[in-house]
Amino acid sequence: MMKKVIAVRDLVVVRGEREVLPGISLDVSAGVTGLLGPSGCGKTTLMRSLVGAQRVRSGTVEVLGEPAGSASLRDRIGYVTQAASVYDDLTVAENLAFFARVLGVDRASVDEAVAAVALDDHRDQVVGRLSGGQRSRAGLAVALLGKPDLLVLDEPTVGLDPVLRRDLWELFHRIADAGAAVLVSSHVMDEAERCHRLLLMREGRIIADGSPDEIRERTGTTDIEAAFLHLVEDTEPAA
Amino acid sequence: MSGRITLAVAGRVLRQVRRDHRTLAMLLVVPCVLISLLWWMFEDLPGDLFDRFGPGLLAMFPFIVMFLVTSVTTLRERSSGTLERLLTMPMGKLDFLLGYALAFGLLAAVQSALAVAVSVGLLGLEVHGSVWLLGVVAVADAVLGTALGLLVSAFATTEFQAVQFMPAFVLPQILLCGLFVPREAMPGVLEAVSNVLPMSYAVDAMQELVGAADTGAIWRSVAIVACFALASLGLGAATLRRRTP
């Protein structure tokens, strides 16, 4: 049994009038874990809870053995929101140098992060003038600074071309191979195959949890999209 | 709190401003042009109207400009996701706020130095107090503007709203600061309101400097402005939340 990196128990999050997470429980271990589900199912809210940015109503969230949001976790988690979360009026290198100073890591890790997302050729370009894909990779590079033990990535591959998506997934696997846990959300089901483990989410609940093969087998389907639909029809009360 | 992080924020903010040539030029040139305009307007009139209104204007520039610049930039930090990212990192709220205050305070010092040089050197504004004290007052005004800008940006969800806070928060202070009507000549209620508005003390300090130059009175006004700035920074820190709904 691999060590648990994330342990969520009965987490309830209410945003406005809506109960976005009505009491979710899940575990995440090392490796690349995909959090898949349609837009609006609560993926972002769950990820924000993991990094301690979300106000929660009840339940427990433990990350790397400590309550989520603890001060000691702040330099151990790399987090990328759906927005690239970088400064558009600074260059790639300037952005990274700034965040590196905040994290207290050295300049060498800036070069490593730039190389990891293959932005060497663009390091002195202002982020606002980069393409959408390059911009989101700049945001990802910031999350890689200081080699965090956990990466929480909110839809990092959305809108990227197929080659770039493949490269990024390879990067996630390299990071996982080096010992970190990587949690990646996506609403594109065909990204499922690239994960060690999947959490399928719908309306604030986990409806399936296992390796892609296990989930396909359990539902008797050939791809994850069909498995998802099968699970949804199963849980829906007959009209 | 960490000096390293505060300086990192200040350095980054200054770098962003330096990259934006048009904003930088406007920050530095517009106050000089406005003060010259004021001087020109009063040129043919009898009396020392420029000496009366000039100091008030010198106190207002850093306040207004820094209020606007800060409220828009912090709002941008909130909407671009950079603030959320920073607050999941080992960044103290005060590091963030003081970094901004430091950067814009420096910028205001340069801005005021230019405006004062033009006023005193070219336009013949009479300053009885020491000129460097004028710089201190200007920086205090700028930090106050920055602090209030940080504070109100917490209550704005769009840049339109942030800009609307300028007429809502700043214009009343300009009207009641004693520049147009001496504060003691206002209706009692307005005088009382004026007494609790920070801009009144900023303008007091500038007018003291140019007029009687009672150093004690100047420092008292500066201290009051600084207290307002600190209080707004404190309230601003309270509005920066690591966890949001």
Side-chain angles (χ1 to χ4, degrees), chain B residues 133-154:
Chain B
L133 239 179
L134 220 121
V136 173
V137 176
V139 169
D141 291 353
V143 173
L144 175 69
T146 299
L148 279 179
L150 284 164
L151 180 59
V152 302
S153 79

Side-chain angles (χ1 to χ4, degrees), chain A residues 57-104:
Chain A
R57 176 155 296 180
S58 63
T60 59
V61 183
E62 243 181 45
V63 178
L64 301 164
E66 311 214 26
S70 302
S72 57
L73 289 175
R74 287 190 195 130
D75 51 4
R76 297 182 67 196
I77 304 178
Y79 171 47
V80 184
T81 62
Q82 276 177 43
S85 308
V86 281
Y87 298 98
D88 277 343
D89 41 7
L90 296 180
T91 68
V92 174
E94 286 168 345
N95 264 292
L96 285 162
F98 166 64
F99 286 107
R101 278 181 77 192
V102 171
L103 288 166

